[in-house]
Amino acid sequence: MSTAQETVEYATEHAPRLAWAEHAPEVYKAMIRLDAAARRGLDPTLYELVKIRASQLNHCAFCLDMHTKDALAAGESVERIVQLSAWEESRHFYTEKELAALELTEAVTVLTDGFVPDEVYERAAGHFGEAELAQLIAAIAVINAWNRFGVTTRMVPGHYKPGHQ
């Protein structure tokens, strides 16, 4: 039987491989600017859903920690965040526009499966004007770049506070 005095012992937190932002500060600053430029004109909720889904696909724990916290702080529901990994079976949690963005996010993120299919692109183009679609594609590309920095350098999740970089 479990008691209130018992302590749960979690696995040891790993150390990051490299503090890449400290060693490449100009690249980091450029990424921050690129991220800010990519988000312009996009719905903030949609933007966070895209970031979370790409981060799930890329297995970037640091980015998942950051963007789920940011989404929650912005008023996103726990239910919609939890359902993201199974969005195709949980379509009723999302708008058609969000579904098109999630589908495009997967196609752009998982390019090892080939190119972005015409039908996926056309579905997204049906919900986004050209300027907004260009911003969405930029946002997807940027989160994929962040994910690659995070996964490669093994950035440590769990310490991010919303509103901080």
Side-chain angles (χ1 to χ4, degrees):
M1 179 169 260
S2 178
T3 66
Q5 283 86 5
E6 283 186 29
T7 305
V8 176
E9 196 166 318
Y10 294 101
T12 304
E13 184 176 286
H14 70 270
R17 288 179 174 157
L18 175 72
W20 77 268
E22 290 176 26
H23 297 289
E26 293 307 312
V27 175
Y28 178 74
K29 290 176 197 169
M31 284 294 298
I32 294 290
R33 289 189 306 273
L34 185 60
D35 192 78
R39 80 173 53 223
R40 283 192 199 114
L42 290 178
D43 174 81
T45 299
L46 177 84
Y47 186 68
E48 291 301 332
L49 292 175
V50 163
K51 285 183 157 196
I52 294 166
R53 186 62 190 134
S55 299
Q56 288 172 336
L57 293 166
N58 289 321
H59 306 281
C60 186
F62 180 85
C63 291
L64 281 169
D65 178 52
M66 174 185 283
H67 298 299
T68 55
K69 288 175 179 175
D70 282 346
L72 289 167
E76 184 54 86
S77 73
V78 170
E79 190 171 49
R80 283 172 32 107
I81 292 169
V82 168
Q83 291 300 319
L84 264 179
S85 64
W87 67 267
E88 290 176 292
E89 294 179 31
S90 304
R91 297 178 67 85
H92 60 284
F93 287 95
Y94 308 100
T95 67
E96 289 299 323
K97 187 174 184 175
E98 289 168 339
L99 291 168
L102 293 171
E103 186 177 30
L104 184 63
T105 299
E106 290 198 7
V108 172
T109 299
V110 190
L111 287 176
T112 53
D113 290 348
F115 55 89
V116 174
D118 289 339
E119 60 274 8
V120 171
Y121 183 87
E122 306 228 349
R123 223 175 340 274
H127 290 282
F128 295 88
E130 287 185 349
E132 190 179 19
L133 182 57
Q135 290 297 127
L136 176 61
I137 293 166
I140 296 166
V142 171
I143 188 55
N144 273 278
W146 282 121
N147 289 164
R148 277 139 181 85
F149 284 117
V151 171
T152 303
T153 63
R154 294 189 71 209
M155 293 175 74
V156 181
H159 304 285
Y160 176 78
K161 304 283 187 251
H164 299 93
Q165 285 289 8

Short mmCIF file of all heavy atoms in Angstrom, two decimals, residues 104-143:
data_model
loop_
_atom_site.label_atom_id
_atom_site.label_comp_id
_atom_site.label_asym_id
_atom_site.label_seq_id
_atom_site.Cartn_x
_atom_site.Cartn_y
_atom_site.Cartn_z
N LEU A 104 -0.38 19.14 -43.13
CA LEU A 104 0.76 19.74 -43.82
C LEU A 104 2.01 19.66 -42.95
O LEU A 104 3.10 19.37 -43.44
CB LEU A 104 0.45 21.20 -44.19
CG LEU A 104 1.53 21.91 -45.00
CD1 LEU A 104 1.74 21.23 -46.36
CD2 LEU A 104 1.18 23.38 -45.18
N THR A 105 1.85 19.88 -41.65
CA THR A 105 2.98 19.77 -40.72
C THR A 105 3.61 18.39 -40.81
O THR A 105 4.83 18.25 -40.88
CB THR A 105 2.52 20.05 -39.28
OG1 THR A 105 2.01 21.39 -39.21
CG2 THR A 105 3.65 19.88 -38.28
N GLU A 106 2.79 17.36 -40.80
CA GLU A 106 3.32 16.00 -40.89
C GLU A 106 4.02 15.76 -42.22
O GLU A 106 5.10 15.18 -42.26
CB GLU A 106 2.21 14.97 -40.67
CG GLU A 106 1.74 14.97 -39.25
CD GLU A 106 0.97 13.73 -38.85
OE1 GLU A 106 0.88 12.76 -39.64
OE2 GLU A 106 0.45 13.73 -37.72
N ALA A 107 3.44 16.23 -43.31
CA ALA A 107 4.04 16.01 -44.63
C ALA A 107 5.38 16.72 -44.76
O ALA A 107 6.33 16.16 -45.31
CB ALA A 107 3.08 16.46 -45.72
N VAL A 108 5.47 17.94 -44.24
CA VAL A 108 6.72 18.70 -44.32
C VAL A 108 7.76 18.13 -43.36
O VAL A 108 8.95 18.07 -43.68
CB VAL A 108 6.48 20.20 -44.03
CG1 VAL A 108 7.78 20.97 -43.91
CG2 VAL A 108 5.59 20.81 -45.12
N THR A 109 7.33 17.68 -42.20
CA THR A 109 8.24 17.18 -41.18
C THR A 109 8.83 15.83 -41.55
O THR A 109 10.01 15.57 -41.34
CB THR A 109 7.51 17.09 -39.82
OG1 THR A 109 7.08 18.41 -39.47
CG2 THR A 109 8.41 16.55 -38.73
N VAL A 110 8.03 14.95 -42.12
CA VAL A 110 8.46 13.59 -42.41
C VAL A 110 8.77 13.47 -43.90
O VAL A 110 8.15 12.69 -44.61
CB VAL A 110 7.40 12.56 -41.96
CG1 VAL A 110 7.95 11.15 -42.05
CG2 VAL A 110 6.95 12.84 -40.54
N LEU A 111 9.73 14.23 -44.36
CA LEU A 111 10.09 14.22 -45.78
C LEU A 111 10.77 12.93 -46.20
O LEU A 111 10.90 12.68 -47.40
CB LEU A 111 10.99 15.41 -46.11
CG LEU A 111 10.29 16.76 -46.15
CD1 LEU A 111 11.30 17.87 -46.38
CD2 LEU A 111 9.20 16.79 -47.20
N THR A 112 11.18 12.10 -45.26
CA THR A 112 11.76 10.81 -45.62
C THR A 112 10.74 9.92 -46.31
O THR A 112 11.10 8.96 -46.98
CB THR A 112 12.32 10.08 -44.39
OG1 THR A 112 11.29 10.01 -43.40
CG2 THR A 112 13.52 10.82 -43.82
N ASP A 113 9.46 10.25 -46.15
CA ASP A 113 8.40 9.50 -46.84
C ASP A 113 8.25 9.96 -48.29
O ASP A 113 7.44 9.42 -49.02
CB ASP A 113 7.06 9.69 -46.12
CG ASP A 113 7.04 8.99 -44.77
OD1 ASP A 113 7.95 8.18 -44.50
OD2 ASP A 113 6.11 9.25 -43.98
N GLY A 114 8.98 10.97 -48.70
CA GLY A 114 8.88 11.52 -50.06
C GLY A 114 8.54 12.99 -50.00
O GLY A 114 8.75 13.64 -49.00
N PHE A 115 8.00 13.50 -51.06
CA PHE A 115 7.66 14.92 -51.14
C PHE A 115 6.31 15.18 -50.48
O PHE A 115 5.59 14.25 -50.12
CB PHE A 115 7.65 15.37 -52.60
CG PHE A 115 6.73 14.54 -53.46
CD1 PHE A 115 5.40 14.88 -53.60
CD2 PHE A 115 7.20 13.41 -54.11
CE1 PHE A 115 4.55 14.12 -54.38
CE2 PHE A 115 6.36 12.64 -54.89
CZ PHE A 115 5.03 12.99 -55.03
N VAL A 116 5.96 16.45 -50.34
CA VAL A 116 4.66 16.82 -49.80
C VAL A 116 3.61 16.51 -50.87
O VAL A 116 3.66 17.07 -51.97
CB VAL A 116 4.62 18.32 -49.42
CG1 VAL A 116 3.23 18.74 -48.98
CG2 VAL A 116 5.64 18.62 -48.32
N PRO A 117 2.68 15.61 -50.58
CA PRO A 117 1.69 15.22 -51.59
C PRO A 117 0.83 16.41 -52.05
O PRO A 117 0.48 17.28 -51.24
CB PRO A 117 0.83 14.18 -50.86
CG PRO A 117 1.69 13.66 -49.76
CD PRO A 117 2.53 14.84 -49.34
N ASP A 118 0.48 16.40 -53.32
CA ASP A 118 -0.34 17.48 -53.88
C ASP A 118 -1.64 17.66 -53.12
O ASP A 118 -2.06 18.79 -52.85
CB ASP A 118 -0.66 17.19 -55.36
CG ASP A 118 0.56 17.34 -56.25
OD1 ASP A 118 1.53 18.02 -55.85
OD2 ASP A 118 0.54 16.77 -57.36
N GLU A 119 -2.30 16.56 -52.76
CA GLU A 119 -3.60 16.68 -52.09
C GLU A 119 -3.47 17.31 -50.70
O GLU A 119 -4.35 18.04 -50.26
CB GLU A 119 -4.34 15.32 -52.02
CG GLU A 119 -3.62 14.22 -51.27
CD GLU A 119 -2.62 13.41 -52.11
OE1 GLU A 119 -2.34 13.77 -53.26
OE2 GLU A 119 -2.12 12.41 -51.57
N VAL A 120 -2.36 17.05 -50.02
CA VAL A 120 -2.14 17.66 -48.71
C VAL A 120 -1.93 19.17 -48.87
O VAL A 120 -2.52 19.98 -48.15
CB VAL A 120 -0.92 17.01 -48.00
CG1 VAL A 120 -0.52 17.78 -46.75
CG2 VAL A 120 -1.22 15.56 -47.67
N TYR A 121 -1.09 19.52 -49.84
CA TYR A 121 -0.82 20.94 -50.10
C TYR A 121 -2.12 21.65 -50.52
O TYR A 121 -2.43 22.73 -50.03
CB TYR A 121 0.25 21.10 -51.19
CG TYR A 121 0.58 22.55 -51.43
CD1 TYR A 121 1.55 23.18 -50.67
CD2 TYR A 121 -0.09 23.28 -52.40
CE1 TYR A 121 1.85 24.52 -50.88
CE2 TYR A 121 0.19 24.61 -52.61
CZ TYR A 121 1.16 25.23 -51.84
OH TYR A 121 1.44 26.55 -52.03
N GLU A 122 -2.88 21.03 -51.40
CA GLU A 122 -4.11 21.65 -51.90
C GLU A 122 -5.16 21.82 -50.80
O GLU A 122 -5.87 22.81 -50.76
CB GLU A 122 -4.67 20.83 -53.06
CG GLU A 122 -3.59 20.64 -54.10
CD GLU A 122 -4.02 20.94 -55.51
OE1 GLU A 122 -5.22 21.10 -55.77
OE2 GLU A 122 -3.10 21.02 -56.33
N ARG A 123 -5.23 20.85 -49.88
CA ARG A 123 -6.16 20.98 -48.75
C ARG A 123 -5.77 22.18 -47.90
O ARG A 123 -6.61 22.98 -47.51
CB ARG A 123 -6.17 19.69 -47.93
CG ARG A 123 -7.52 19.27 -47.51
CD ARG A 123 -7.65 17.95 -46.79
NE ARG A 123 -6.62 16.95 -46.89
CZ ARG A 123 -6.52 16.03 -47.85
NH1 ARG A 123 -7.41 16.00 -48.82
NH2 ARG A 123 -5.55 15.15 -47.85
N ALA A 124 -4.48 22.33 -47.63
CA ALA A 124 -4.01 23.48 -46.85
C ALA A 124 -4.28 24.78 -47.62
O ALA A 124 -4.76 25.76 -47.03
CB ALA A 124 -2.53 23.33 -46.53
N ALA A 125 -4.01 24.78 -48.91
CA ALA A 125 -4.24 25.98 -49.73
C ALA A 125 -5.72 26.37 -49.76
O ALA A 125 -6.05 27.54 -49.92
CB ALA A 125 -3.71 25.76 -51.14
N GLY A 126 -6.59 25.39 -49.56
CA GLY A 126 -8.02 25.66 -49.51
C GLY A 126 -8.47 26.37 -48.23
O GLY A 126 -9.55 26.95 -48.19
N HIS A 127 -7.65 26.30 -47.19
CA HIS A 127 -7.99 26.91 -45.90
C HIS A 127 -7.16 28.15 -45.58
O HIS A 127 -7.51 28.90 -44.67
CB HIS A 127 -7.82 25.89 -44.77
CG HIS A 127 -8.83 24.81 -44.80
ND1 HIS A 127 -10.12 24.96 -44.35
CD2 HIS A 127 -8.76 23.53 -45.27
CE1 HIS A 127 -10.79 23.84 -44.51
NE2 HIS A 127 -9.99 22.94 -45.07
N PHE A 128 -6.06 28.33 -46.27
CA PHE A 128 -5.16 29.44 -46.01
C PHE A 128 -4.95 30.24 -47.28
O PHE A 128 -4.73 29.65 -48.35
CB PHE A 128 -3.79 28.91 -45.53
CG PHE A 128 -3.82 28.20 -44.22
CD1 PHE A 128 -4.09 26.84 -44.16
CD2 PHE A 128 -3.59 28.89 -43.04
CE1 PHE A 128 -4.12 26.16 -42.94
CE2 PHE A 128 -3.62 28.23 -41.81
CZ PHE A 128 -3.89 26.86 -41.77
N GLY A 129 -5.00 31.56 -47.18
CA GLY A 129 -4.62 32.39 -48.31
C GLY A 129 -3.14 32.20 -48.59
O GLY A 129 -2.41 31.64 -47.75
N GLU A 130 -2.66 32.66 -49.72
CA GLU A 130 -1.27 32.43 -50.09
C GLU A 130 -0.28 32.99 -49.07
O GLU A 130 0.70 32.33 -48.72
CB GLU A 130 -0.98 32.97 -51.49
CG GLU A 130 -1.59 32.12 -52.58
CD GLU A 130 -1.21 32.57 -53.97
OE1 GLU A 130 -0.64 33.67 -54.14
OE2 GLU A 130 -1.49 31.81 -54.91
N ALA A 131 -0.52 34.21 -48.58
CA ALA A 131 0.40 34.81 -47.61
C ALA A 131 0.41 34.02 -46.30
O ALA A 131 1.46 33.74 -45.74
CB ALA A 131 0.03 36.27 -47.35
N GLU A 132 -0.78 33.63 -45.84
CA GLU A 132 -0.87 32.86 -44.59
C GLU A 132 -0.27 31.47 -44.77
O GLU A 132 0.40 30.95 -43.87
CB GLU A 132 -2.33 32.77 -44.13
CG GLU A 132 -2.48 32.21 -42.73
CD GLU A 132 -3.93 32.13 -42.28
OE1 GLU A 132 -4.86 32.16 -43.12
OE2 GLU A 132 -4.13 32.03 -41.06
N LEU A 133 -0.46 30.88 -45.93
CA LEU A 133 0.12 29.56 -46.21
C LEU A 133 1.65 29.65 -46.23
O LEU A 133 2.34 28.77 -45.70
CB LEU A 133 -0.41 29.01 -47.54
CG LEU A 133 0.06 27.62 -47.94
CD1 LEU A 133 -0.28 26.58 -46.86
CD2 LEU A 133 -0.56 27.23 -49.28
N ALA A 134 2.17 30.71 -46.81
CA ALA A 134 3.62 30.91 -46.81
C ALA A 134 4.15 31.02 -45.39
O ALA A 134 5.19 30.44 -45.04
CB ALA A 134 4.00 32.14 -47.63
N GLN A 135 3.42 31.73 -44.54
CA GLN A 135 3.81 31.86 -43.13
C GLN A 135 3.74 30.51 -42.42
O GLN A 135 4.62 30.18 -41.62
CB GLN A 135 2.91 32.87 -42.41
CG GLN A 135 3.11 34.31 -42.81
CD GLN A 135 4.49 34.84 -42.50
OE1 GLN A 135 5.15 35.37 -43.38
NE2 GLN A 135 4.94 34.70 -41.28
N LEU A 136 2.70 29.73 -42.71
CA LEU A 136 2.55 28.41 -42.10
C LEU A 136 3.72 27.50 -42.51
O LEU A 136 4.31 26.83 -41.66
CB LEU A 136 1.22 27.77 -42.51
CG LEU A 136 0.98 26.35 -42.01
CD1 LEU A 136 0.99 26.28 -40.49
CD2 LEU A 136 -0.34 25.82 -42.59
N ILE A 137 4.07 27.50 -43.78
CA ILE A 137 5.19 26.68 -44.24
C ILE A 137 6.48 27.12 -43.55
O ILE A 137 7.28 26.30 -43.11
CB ILE A 137 5.32 26.74 -45.77
CG1 ILE A 137 4.10 26.06 -46.41
CG2 ILE A 137 6.62 26.09 -46.24
CD1 ILE A 137 3.94 26.34 -47.90
N ALA A 138 6.66 28.43 -43.41
CA ALA A 138 7.83 28.96 -42.71
C ALA A 138 7.83 28.50 -41.25
O ALA A 138 8.87 28.07 -40.72
CB ALA A 138 7.87 30.48 -42.79
N ALA A 139 6.68 28.56 -40.59
CA ALA A 139 6.59 28.14 -39.19
C ALA A 139 6.93 26.66 -39.04
O ALA A 139 7.61 26.27 -38.08
CB ALA A 139 5.18 28.42 -38.64
N ILE A 140 6.46 25.84 -39.96
CA ILE A 140 6.76 24.40 -39.92
C ILE A 140 8.26 24.18 -40.11
O ILE A 140 8.88 23.39 -39.40
CB ILE A 140 5.94 23.63 -40.97
CG1 ILE A 140 4.43 23.72 -40.66
CG2 ILE A 140 6.39 22.17 -41.05
CD1 ILE A 140 3.52 23.28 -41.80
N ALA A 141 8.85 24.88 -41.05
CA ALA A 141 10.29 24.75 -41.29
C ALA A 141 11.10 25.19 -40.06
O ALA A 141 12.07 24.53 -39.68
CB ALA A 141 10.70 25.56 -42.51
N VAL A 142 10.67 26.27 -39.43
CA VAL A 142 11.41 26.79 -38.27
C VAL A 142 11.34 25.82 -37.09
O VAL A 142 12.36 25.55 -36.45
CB VAL A 142 10.90 28.19 -37.87
CG1 VAL A 142 11.50 28.64 -36.55
CG2 VAL A 142 11.23 29.20 -38.97
N ILE A 143 10.15 25.27 -36.78
CA ILE A 143 10.08 24.35 -35.65
C ILE A 143 10.88 23.09 -35.94
O ILE A 143 11.51 22.53 -35.04
CB ILE A 143 8.63 24.01 -35.21
CG1 ILE A 143 8.63 23.21 -33.89
CG2 ILE A 143 7.86 23.28 -36.28
CD1 ILE A 143 9.35 23.84 -32.72
#
